[in-house]
Amino acid sequence: MSVLFWAIAVVAFVIAEIATVQLVSIWFAAGAFVTLLLSYFYELSAFEQLGIFIISSSVFLLLSVPLIKKRRKKAAVATNAELDVGRHATVIEEINVDKGTGRVTLNGVNWSAVPEDENAIIPAGAIVIVTKVMGAKLRVRPE
């Protein structure tokens, strides 16, 4: 293996990294660069060059893992469903499990609704509190 080979490898790994933008090959580019430098200054066999490439790439990977983990930790962002829990909604159709009816309006959007207490009947016009979002249905309780 020659210096030219490692120079081509560095360029190829950098291009691959730019194309993916997922930190997939940046460690290999760094490892190839280290190997390129050592191959330029020292007479190394192909086996030694390959060993240097593997070891240096692994070291760069291991050194970057804590940094990547640190950057990935972000505050949990509540989804729309989680944001609706605890909000007040207005019943626009009587909520009655026996009849299979129940609609509320929340933030200008009509939702199917079921009562938290299955025996409860909540009349139209009542104000309810959302206790859970279940897909396209809200579980509610009277205010």
Side-chain angles (χ1 to χ4, degrees):
M1 291 190 206
S2 68
V3 174
L4 180 61
F5 171 81
W6 292 110
I8 292 170
V10 169
V11 171
F13 286 129
V14 168
I15 289 171
E17 183 61 37
I18 291 170
T20 60
V21 195
Q22 295 291 321
L23 292 178
V24 173
S25 63
I26 194 70
W27 305 286
F28 300 126
F33 184 72
V34 169
T35 308
L36 174 127
L37 291 176
L38 291 175
S39 297
Y40 181 77
F41 291 110
Y42 301 101
E43 189 68 35
L44 300 171
S45 70
F47 181 72
E48 291 170 326
Q49 291 177 30
L50 187 59
I52 291 169
F53 172 70
I54 292 170
I55 290 169
S56 60
S57 296
S58 299
V59 168
F60 285 119
L61 174 63
L62 292 174
L63 290 175
S64 65
V65 167
L67 297 173
I68 293 170
K69 283 184 179 180
K70 187 177 182 180
R71 292 189 71 139
R72 279 196 179 167
K73 286 187 179 179
K74 294 182 181 177
V77 177
T79 63
N80 288 341
E82 293 166 341
L83 293 174
D84 289 338
V85 173
R87 293 209 174 177
H88 292 82
T90 305
V91 179
I92 56 175
E93 176 185 42
E94 179 183 74
I95 301 173
N96 187 330
V97 174
D98 294 333
K99 292 182 181 177
T101 60
R103 295 204 63 78
V104 298
T105 183
L106 176 67
N107 299 328
V109 178
N110 291 338
W111 291 78
S112 293
V114 293
E116 193 171 56
D117 175 13
E118 291 185 16
N119 297 324
I121 297 173
I122 305 171
I127 303 296
V128 292
I129 298 173
V130 177
T131 59
K132 185 175 182 180
V133 178
M134 306 175 303
K137 207 175 261 193
L138 301 177
R139 179 175 288 156
V140 297
R141 65 178 166 83
E143 184 178 44

